[in-house]
Amino acid sequence: MLGGIFGNKGQKIKGNLVLMRKNVLDINSITNPANVVDTVFDIFGSAIDTVTAFAASISVQLISSTKTDALGKGKVGSATKLRGQISLPTLGASEEAYDVSFDWDADFEIPGAFYIKNFMQNEFYLKSFTLEDIPNYGTIHFICNSWVYNSKKYKSDRIFFANNTYLPSETPAPLLKYREAELKNVRGDGTGKREEWERIYDYDVYNDLGNPDKAAALARPVLGGSTLPYPRRGRTGRAKTKKDPNSEKPDDFVYLPRDEAFGHLKSSDFLAYALKSVSQDVLPVLTDAFDGSLLSLEFDNFAEVHKLYDGGVTLPTGFLSKYAPIPIVKEIFRSDGEQFLKYPPPKVMQVDKSAWMTDEEFARETIAGVNPNVIKILKEFPPRSTLDTQAYGDHTSIITKEHLEPKLGGLTVEQ
């Protein structure tokens, strides 16, 4: 309660806090093998958080926007724990709302911000916080949309401000120092190694494109920072390479402020299709459930390829029922019903199933592919390969001028 500041115990401020709990199948844990152990601890932590009261593991402190303390900062109330889960008509999928109340005192007046602390093992996604029936004011909304990790992860408490827009000169004086401190936190000080839970928007030149410690041929120059600051990337603070003090050691972990990562629904779709993509690793286990011809290591005809996009593979009823509590399996069924291994059709196949076989589409995919830099200018014709003819046979090009020049708009091959 805010009893340390509020004197009148008869009146209450009621509020509700809307959040989404962390999914144990977090996208970072699934896609990064180094996080598998962390995922196990996350699941264990979720069990602990369920055993202990979830609401009692989160505390809130209101901050006044009109009354200051001895240091000129807005007064801070005592920490208040959430009380219990409530139902709101505006709740979306996977969202939960919790009740919280504070003792009211006129000396505190109007809240303009609040601290929140998470004492659980896992982070949660804080959607919003609403205070109701504030005397002589009404309702205050806090639009948060941010991940909140265990309080020990942060150097300073997480703070959120009311959904009011101010010019800098019009910001309430009791909130100015809180605003300045928050801005300093998200800017960072240019030091330290970035961690998953941080919210620092600090930037650096591209100095991690190569790996000179592994091989001299893998060394790459630094991009940016010479005459112009661009291009630039999010600063990570990793250690420098031994052979090039201007370059950082490469790493599989790419730092991105947590709130900028995939949203809940996007992560769900991404995981669903990612698991489908690696389904070939579990096909031997499913031999008894699927048509054996579809479990071979190659397709017999294009009809089998098309089946993955047209209808998928029909599972026996209840085949995966014991896995239903797993969120990602629910997501697969949400998209496909009882169809498994059904992939979203590529754009090029949505109009014409044979469009991908044309020369024009092959050229387009080559140029727009994952590595178009392998395309090189043709310096001689017909092209000659440097491969060993004894090992690879005759590789003389069978393409002639007559094949090319009708497509060159009047130009000759030499031109």
Side-chain angles (χ1 to χ4, degrees):
M1 299 297 180
L2 295 173
I5 292 178
F6 298 167
N8 182 3
K9 301 295 183 179
Q11 195 167 2
K12 300 280 188 180
I13 301 179
K14 293 184 179 180
N16 59 75
L17 186 143
V18 178
L19 55 83
M20 299 171 67
R21 301 200 200 193
K22 178 187 186 303
N23 188 332
V24 294
L25 290 180
D26 182 79
I27 187 169
N28 295 325
S29 299
I30 291 297
T31 58
N32 186 351
N35 288 337
V36 172
V37 175
D38 291 339
T39 302
V40 175
F41 280 108
D42 282 344
I43 296 173
F44 178 71
S46 298
I48 295 177
D49 295 337
T50 302
V51 173
T52 59
F54 183 85
S57 299
I58 302 172
S59 72
V60 178
Q61 290 177 276
L62 296 183
I63 301 173
S64 177
S65 65
T66 52
K67 294 294 183 177
T68 60
D69 58 17
L71 299 177
K73 301 170 63 176
K75 286 186 175 182
V76 180
S78 300
T80 301
K81 297 292 182 68
L82 306 188
R83 297 199 303 181
Q85 193 168 357
I86 59 176
S87 177
L88 296 176
T90 56
L91 288 181
S94 301
E95 294 179 358
E96 300 174 357
Y98 290 85
D99 183 30
V100 61
S101 66
F102 308 91
D103 292 324
W104 173 252
D105 190 325
D107 288 340
F108 193 85
E109 294 190 353
I110 309 301
F114 71 92
Y115 283 132
I116 186 167
K117 288 185 179 181
N118 175 13
F119 301 106
M120 297 179 292
Q121 298 290 326
N122 291 328
E123 67 268 28
F124 60 83
Y125 187 73
L126 181 60
K127 294 277 293 183
S128 64
F129 180 47
T130 303
L131 293 173
E132 303 172 348
D133 300 326
I134 298 176
N136 302 317
Y137 191 88
T139 301
I140 296 179
H141 296 286
F142 298 83
I143 306 301
C144 306
N145 291 325
S146 180
W147 287 93
V148 180
Y149 281 73
N150 183 281
S151 59
K152 293 181 180 179
K153 300 287 189 182
Y154 301 113
K155 294 180 180 179
S156 57
D157 294 338
R158 288 299 312 273
I159 187 173
F160 293 92
F161 297 89
N163 193 33
N164 297 322
T165 303
Y166 304 106
L167 292 173
S169 60
E170 297 175 350
T171 302
L175 298 180
L176 280 175
K177 292 186 178 180
Y178 293 107
R179 286 281 192 185
E180 292 171 357
E182 176 69 355
L183 184 59
K184 184 177 179 179
N185 285 336
V186 297
R187 283 177 173 172
D189 58 6
T191 63
K193 182 180 178 181
R194 298 283 74 84
E195 302 290 350
E196 172 193 337
W197 55 83
E198 292 185 317
R199 304 160 42 250
I200 295 177
Y201 293 78
D202 190 8
Y203 299 93
D204 200 352
V205 295
Y206 278 89
N207 61 352
D208 64 344
L209 301 177
N211 191 357
D213 288 348
K214 186 175 182 179
L218 298 179
R220 296 292 184 273
V222 175
L223 297 184
S226 53
T227 57
L228 297 173
Y230 301 98
R232 63 180 184 174
R233 64 181 177 90
R235 181 187 172 279
T236 60
R238 296 193 296 264
K240 303 294 185 180
T241 59
K242 295 180 180 179
K243 295 185 178 180
D244 183 3
N246 293 321
S247 297
E248 282 187 1
K249 292 181 178 180
D251 196 308
D252 292 336
F253 170 68
V254 178
Y255 169 72
L256 185 69
R258 185 68 158 100
D259 294 343
E260 305 301 328
F262 279 156
H264 177 71
L265 294 179
K266 183 65 176 178
S267 295
S268 183
D269 288 341
F270 187 95
L271 283 170
Y273 291 128
L275 287 188
K276 292 179 184 181
S277 297
V278 299
S279 59
Q280 62 267 24
D281 294 333
V282 299
L283 287 181
V285 181
L286 303 177
T287 300
D288 293 336
F290 291 91
D291 181 355
S293 65
L294 293 178
L295 295 177
S296 61
L297 296 180
E298 57 186 36
F299 294 104
D300 295 330
N301 50 58
F302 285 114
E304 291 185 355
V305 178
H306 290 157
K307 187 172 183 179
L308 297 181
Y309 300 100
D310 293 336
V313 178
T314 302
L315 289 176
T317 303
F319 175 70
L320 292 179
S321 60
K322 65 179 181 179
Y323 300 111
I326 301 177
I328 193 60
V329 175
K330 287 184 176 181
E331 177 61 24
I332 292 175
F333 286 140
R334 182 191 68 82
S335 301
D336 303 333
E338 286 295 317
Q339 303 301 311
F340 188 59
L341 296 179
K342 180 183 177 182
Y343 291 80
K347 295 292 184 182
V348 69
M349 290 181 59
Q350 292 181 5
V351 177
D352 183 354
K353 291 183 178 180
S354 300
W356 63 273
M357 301 176 65
T358 63
D359 291 340
E360 291 80 0
E361 178 59 22
F362 175 80
R364 187 197 69 79
E365 292 182 10
T366 302
I367 296 174
V370 294
N371 192 5
N373 290 328
V374 300
I375 302 173
K376 297 181 180 180
I377 188 172
L378 186 65
K379 296 182 178 180
E380 61 179 356
F381 189 85
R384 291 183 293 177
S385 172
T386 58
L387 295 175
D388 185 358
T389 55
Q390 292 184 351
Y392 298 97
D394 182 15
H395 42 64
T396 303
S397 174
I398 62 173
I399 300 176
T400 66
K401 293 182 179 181
E402 288 72 21
H403 291 113
L404 296 179
E405 290 182 345
K407 301 288 186 178
L408 297 182
L411 296 176
T412 64
V413 169
E414 289 75 12
Q415 289 173 323

